Amino acid sequence: MAVLASWVWVLAGCFSAAVARISNISVLYPPFWEESPEQLSDYRLEDGKHIINPWIFTDRMGMYRILLTETATYFARYGPENEQNLLWGLPLQFGWQYQTGRLADPTGMRDCGNELEESLCISVDSWWADVNYYLSVLPFLAAVDSGIAGLSPEQITILPPPKDQMRFCYNVSGCQSAFPETMNRWRDFFQYMQLPSSDFDGLLKKLWDAHTLSLEYPTRAFVDRYNFYSDQEASFEKNWAITVYYLGEARLPTTLIRAHSFQRGLPPRVLDDIDIAPFIPDFTPLQNKVLVTLNLLGDIDRYSGSLSLTIWESLMSTKFARKLFLNAFEEFLGTSP
Ligand SMILES: *[C@@H]1O[C@H](CO)[C@@H](O)[C@H](O)[C@H]1NC(C)=O
Ligand SMILES: *[C@@H]1O[C@H](CO)[C@@H](O)[C@H](O)[C@H]1NC(C)=O
């Protein structure tokens, strides 16, 4: 008991130290956060329905902002200012994709996301945008269906992309029949959240379960997108998807400050064919190091036929091991408190 109590003290100390270093956490919010819809009524109304176009950056970000706002109450007991909300990882990752040019048209045939001025267009040809669809629209619809936001599915219309419409779903019933397991996992997460008995570790587990399952369909369905990228970027995409499964087993806490610092190691722009880590001159040493590590992890996973993931899963099965990993991981990133 004494050991546990001292751990809680250490953790609480780390958290307040981190908050003290960042006087106003709003600097960590993803791009265009304040400009994105915060409630359904901020979306255009047409024939009694609110129109969400997930192929416009602020429209898709708005779904995250609504989720963060509506779930704040369930995370309030873990820390102030919604900083401990585990959903932050999703909009931060999406913001990183935008800032690094990964949501723009990769074919070079269209302007989408590529104009000189900041463009909010999201390209359906972007592998990143397609995979993220399953991590934004699906959780949003599952949350609506779980009654989190006090919204009804009939109030919402989600617009299709200009092509490949059959590879996406647009409403609760459509997504439920096309991706029942993914929708069920997200609904589990949102329903568990509303239980008085829910706790942080339980939330973290259910979030990662839903997150990793959401990747299964899009990482198979959008392999044709790899052709639009350099070999280096295509490998990074494959390795990143693999890495997320490993991070998920380690149940990385995707709270605001942490998720923000985890992203410092990710490549700050789309990779070209000549970008060979660890020798990319305009990347930081950490960004080079992270790319090397992702390549290595991707190779290990492929050569072992994912046996390495099974082994990792059993290694990470205790809370103590996950805590050790988190410490080592933050040490590696140079972000340990
Ligand atoms: C943080 O900064 C934002 C925008 O600059 C401001 O609106 C907000 O009131 C600030 N919050 C605190 C707690 O100072
Ligand atoms: C839901 O979307 C599907 C297509 O994915 C469509 O066929 C169906 O009519 C939509 N349902 C409602 C209630 O809008």
Side-chain angles (χ1 to χ4, degrees), residues 175-289:
C175 293
Q176 185 63 41
S177 62
F179 309 104
E181 287 170 44
T182 306
M183 288 293 280
N184 290 347
R185 291 278 178 99
W186 282 112
R187 207 181 299 97
D188 266 3
F189 170 68
F190 290 112
Q191 285 172 349
Y192 175 76
M193 185 184 289
Q194 298 172 76
L195 298 177
S197 58
S198 72
D199 61 31
F200 197 77
D201 288 333
L203 286 164
L204 192 54
K205 172 166 181 8
K206 290 197 180 288
L207 176 74
W208 275 113
D209 284 350
H211 187 139
T212 50
L213 196 66
S214 303
L215 295 176
E216 274 180 19
Y217 172 78
T219 52
R220 279 184 282 112
F222 296 100
V223 288
D224 56 336
R225 305 302 198 241
Y226 293 141
N227 299 327
F228 300 140
Y229 296 90
S230 69
D231 287 350
Q232 300 301 333
E233 179 72 11
S235 304
F236 171 58
E237 290 165 357
K238 293 171 199 166
N239 293 336
W240 180 232
I242 290 171
T243 302
V244 170
Y245 287 97
Y246 287 79
L247 298 179
E249 289 301 336
R251 296 192 209 150
L252 221 53
T254 46
T255 51
L256 178 59
I257 295 173
R258 280 210 151 109
H260 189 269
S261 63
F262 295 157
Q263 299 203 141
R264 292 188 323 150
L266 294 179
R269 57 168 176 77
V270 177
L271 300 172
D272 291 326
D273 270 321
I274 54 165
D275 290 326
I276 310 291
F279 307 111
I280 308 174
D282 59 328
F283 283 20
T284 63
L286 176 64
Q287 288 160 350
N288 272 296
K289 198 165 74 166

Side-chain angles (χ1 to χ4, degrees), residues 92-114:
L92 286 184
Q93 176 69 187
F94 182 54
W96 165 80
Q97 293 169 356
Y98 175 79
Q99 284 171 321
T100 59
R102 289 185 161 83
L103 301 176
D105 172 56
T107 68
M109 316 258 285
R110 274 168 286 273
D111 290 342
C112 179
N114 283 321

Side-chain angles (χ1 to χ4, degrees), residues 121-138:
C121 181
I122 297 182
S123 171
V124 69
D125 285 320
S126 158
W127 178 86
W128 297 95
D130 294 333
V131 176
N132 176 267
Y133 190 93
Y134 292 83
L135 290 168
S136 54
V137 174
L138 272 68

Side-chain angles (χ1 to χ4, degrees), residues 33 36-40 43 52-70 87 91 94 132-133 135-141 143 156 158:
W33 185 252
S36 301
E38 192 179 14
Q39 52 200 8
L40 199 58
Y43 288 98
I52 303 178
N53 182 352
W55 305 94
I56 294 177
F57 183 75
T58 39
D59 269 30
R60 200 184 285 195
M61 190 59 97
M63 290 188 267
Y64 284 138
R65 195 167 177 212
I66 293 173
L67 281 183
L68 266 292
T69 306
E70 297 295 337
L87 286 165
F94 182 54
N132 176 267
Y133 190 93
L135 290 168
S136 54
V137 174
L138 272 68
F140 180 74
L141 291 175
I156 301 163
I158 292 183

